[in-house]
Amino acid sequence: MKVRGKNYRAVWMDGRDVVVINQPLLPHRFELLRLKNHRQTANAIKTMIIRGAGTIGATGAYGMAQAYLEGVDIDRAYRTLVETRPTAADLKHALDRVRARAKTAKEAVAEAEAIADEYVERAEQIAEIGLPLVTNGSRVLTHCNAGWLALVDWGSAPAPIYLAHRKGRKVFVWVDETRPRNQGANLTSWEFLQEGVPHKIIADNAGGHYMRRGEVDLCIVGADRIAANGDVANKIGTYQKAVLARENGIPFYVAAPSSTIDVKCASGDKIPIEERDEDEMHYIYGQTRNAKIERVRVSPLKASAGNPAFDVTPAKYITGIITERGIVKPGDIRKVFKK
Ligand code: MRU
């Protein structure tokens, strides 16, 4: 997608470096960051300099390619990378693929490039397949950031929205701010502004209000892992929106490439849920009047907080899963994506 008229992906490889968009600086600053070795790349995934299931997968694959180039122990590098973010199925999928298919550094780089290209191809297919859902005048609610920053390019949930908008359809998006890290307010809104997609950021607890008033036609969210029974792990707060959508008779779609589907995982109860540092609840980042990016405390100094990064939406609340192979009923995941 374009930033100030120039095409970017969320991550790419340049020589031995992995280059990423430094996402915590957005929307205030657009800066690239060069990661010099697989350890720096693992750290960038862990600290969420890059994030979003597909971008995590592609960055992990590039990190493996770096490990091959560095000549370090591949199994140890694999462990360093795989432990960074436990919920996103794409990370393990990408690391397994590079390790299984590459014998040389050249092959590892080629495999990582193929993985990144596949994300882009699949995102474009998701855009086409989801397009009929985003009709003229649609008001869509989305959660977190599942856009191009999260899937190398295009994105999953917003991909059909981008395409509908580019085709001249009138589309409007309610963007959940997505506490605690505010990926909706910081990243999804910024992406939509680049593309000129009309939208409004809303507090995470406002979605039900707009749904009840008949101002939401459909919800589309991304996914971090989809279990064999169709349960979906996605950013914390997704479950609430799915229940509210059902209560209000609103279709609730999940968009994801097949690399997010983990048929070996029987149900949502088996999905590991990442618990992140409680400081993400206590502090928020923002830009001051003097254009400095600062971190401020929002809770009492002695307060403690819980911070699960994801929740599981049971299959029964999901209308369909938009994949590169079509829109699949959650109950058909096992059948369609069996090994
Ligand atoms: O913790 P994050 O920011 O990596 O979580 C991102 C999400 O939950 C996205 O919705 C999901 O990864 C889909 S990305 C195409």
Side-chain angles (χ1 to χ4, degrees):
M1 302 295 268
K2 282 193 167 44
V3 182
R4 295 184 211 116
K6 190 176 167 204
N7 261 321
Y8 285 93
R9 284 185 174 187
V11 59
W12 64 96
M13 203 159 182
D14 181 25
R16 291 173 160 251
D17 295 353
V18 174
V19 188
V20 296
I21 294 169
N22 194 341
Q23 298 193 22
L25 298 182
L26 289 171
H28 309 296
R29 257 176 245 163
F30 180 79
E31 275 181 24
L32 303 179
L33 189 67
R34 280 187 173 268
L35 308 165
K36 299 282 180 193
N37 54 52
H38 81 278
R39 290 196 171 279
Q40 285 187 8
T41 299
N43 191 51
I45 300 172
K46 197 174 179 60
T47 58
M48 294 179 66
I49 283 169
I50 66 94
R51 27 67 50 207
T55 299
I56 292 171
T59 308
Y62 285 134
M64 280 296 275
Q66 284 179 308
Y68 277 76
L69 287 164
E70 290 159 41
V72 296
D73 183 298
I74 291 303
D75 290 333
R76 188 181 289 179
Y78 176 98
R79 284 196 298 278
T80 304
L81 285 157
V82 83
E83 281 162 10
T84 52
R85 300 283 318 263
T87 304
D90 287 80
L91 178 60
K92 186 171 180 304
H93 174 90
L95 300 180
D96 283 346
R97 201 168 129 179
V98 177
R99 187 168 64 171
R101 296 194 189 169
K103 291 202 171 43
T104 63
K106 199 171 163 209
E107 285 171 0
V109 173
E111 195 59 38
E113 293 293 5
I115 288 170
D117 289 348
E118 236 171 61
Y119 276 121
V120 181
E121 210 174 288
R122 288 176 178 181
E124 284 168 357
Q125 289 163 339
I126 287 170
E128 291 285 353
I129 288 165
L131 182 65
L133 302 174
V134 187
T135 51
N136 198 33
S138 287
R139 295 155 306 172
V140 189
L141 183 139
T142 193
H143 191 69
C144 194
N145 172 262
W148 70 270
L149 290 165
L151 199 83
V152 186
D153 208 351
W154 275 93
S156 55
I161 300 172
Y162 285 134
L163 192 57
H165 176 72
R166 285 190 182 184
K167 286 188 181 289
R169 292 184 197 168
K170 201 167 153 261
V171 195
F172 174 82
V173 190
W174 297 109
V175 175
D176 282 353
E177 62 173 348
T178 320
R179 277 284 284 150
R181 291 184 67 106
N182 292 318
Q183 291 96 324
N186 293 342
L187 306 177
T188 305
S189 174
W190 179 80
E191 285 187 6
F192 282 155
L193 285 169
Q194 306 297 316
E195 279 283 309
V197 177
H199 66 281
K200 267 192 183 152
I201 300 165
I202 54 172
D204 288 328
N205 30 24
H209 167 76
Y210 290 113
M211 288 187 199
R212 207 180 65 81
R213 291 213 320 202
E215 294 182 43
V216 180
D217 300 305
L218 78 156
C219 303
I220 317 181
V221 301
D224 288 85
R225 193 185 295 233
I226 300 172
N229 70 342
D231 291 350
V232 168
N234 191 49
K235 180 52 55 191
I236 191 77
T238 302
Y239 171 43
Q240 288 181 355
K241 294 299 147 71
V243 176
L244 283 164
R246 169 60 53 86
E247 166 69 16
N248 289 281
I250 295 164
F252 190 92
Y253 288 94
V254 172
S258 53
S259 48
T260 307
I261 295 167
D262 182 1
V263 282
K264 290 202 186 115
C265 183
S267 75
D269 294 343
K270 303 269 187 291
I271 299 176
I273 299 295
E274 177 184 3
E275 186 73 32
R276 293 189 61 85
D277 194 313
E278 67 177 282
D279 275 359
E280 291 183 351
M281 286 297 302
H282 297 307
Y283 296 90
I284 55 168
Y285 284 88
Q287 180 165 273
T288 66
R289 267 185 298 182
N290 305 327
K292 270 175 70 185
I293 294 177
E294 278 191 10
R295 181 179 182 250
V296 294
R297 176 109 190 173
V298 291
S299 57
L301 275 176
K302 287 191 178 156
S304 64
N307 187 17
F310 303 97
D311 59 25
V312 171
T313 299
K316 67 176 181 182
Y317 293 111
I318 298 163
T319 312
I321 300 179
I322 311 166
T323 74
E324 77 275 8
R325 297 204 211 153
I327 302 179
V328 180
K329 290 261 167 248
D332 290 340
I333 284 289
R334 202 178 261 114
K335 193 171 72 201
V336 177
F337 293 96
K338 59 183 177 286
K339 271 248 131 219

